[in-house]
Amino acid sequence: DQIIGPYPAAIKVYKERSPISYPEKLEAPVILFQGLEDKVVPPNQARCMHEALKKKGVYTELVEYEGEAHGFRQAKNITDALEKELKFYRHVFQMASS
């Protein structure tokens, strides 16, 4: 509400600013990290974006975390997300693992 406007009154603005409205404009690889308890960005939105990117042929990965919401709190998941992000970059930029 505070960032964009009250929902559903500002639904037009929400749709205009949502990346899921424009997957055809994305070409760069994308990794999505999703907490399965997220109420801000529900898991189905990350899944829809992941599928739209795959359908377009964009390299994409989706990583989901049980028990996490919007912004991860569990140390093991934070560590895992950072490790997977580094692996993603190594793959995308064709870098050797150290």
Side-chain angles (χ1 to χ4, degrees):
D1 274 10
Q2 299 163 344
I3 296 173
I4 297 175
Y7 188 87
I11 192 151
K12 182 179 177 196
V13 178
Y14 278 86
K15 288 182 178 181
E16 288 171 351
R17 294 185 183 180
S18 176
I20 195 63
S21 299
Y22 309 99
E24 70 280 358
K25 292 184 177 183
L26 296 173
E27 296 178 7
V30 176
I31 188 167
L32 302 159
F33 295 98
Q34 180 67 47
L36 295 179
E37 309 303 320
D38 195 337
K39 303 285 189 248
V40 176
V41 179
N44 70 319
Q45 290 186 17
R47 292 175 188 141
C48 286
M49 188 65 162
H50 180 64
E51 289 303 316
L53 291 169
K54 281 189 347 184
K55 185 177 178 181
K56 187 180 182 244
V58 173
Y59 179 74
T60 181
E61 293 181 19
L62 172 62
V63 184
E64 298 179 325
Y65 293 99
E66 286 282 342
E68 292 286 9
H70 196 76
F72 306 146
R73 303 288 183 263
Q74 298 175 43
K76 67 178 182 167
N77 292 337
I78 294 168
T79 300
D80 185 71
L82 290 170
E83 288 172 352
K84 286 191 167 117
E85 183 178 6
L86 179 58
K87 184 179 175 185
F88 176 81
Y89 291 141
R90 285 184 171 142
H91 173 81
V92 168
F93 296 113
Q94 301 174 353
M95 299 165 54
S97 298
S98 55

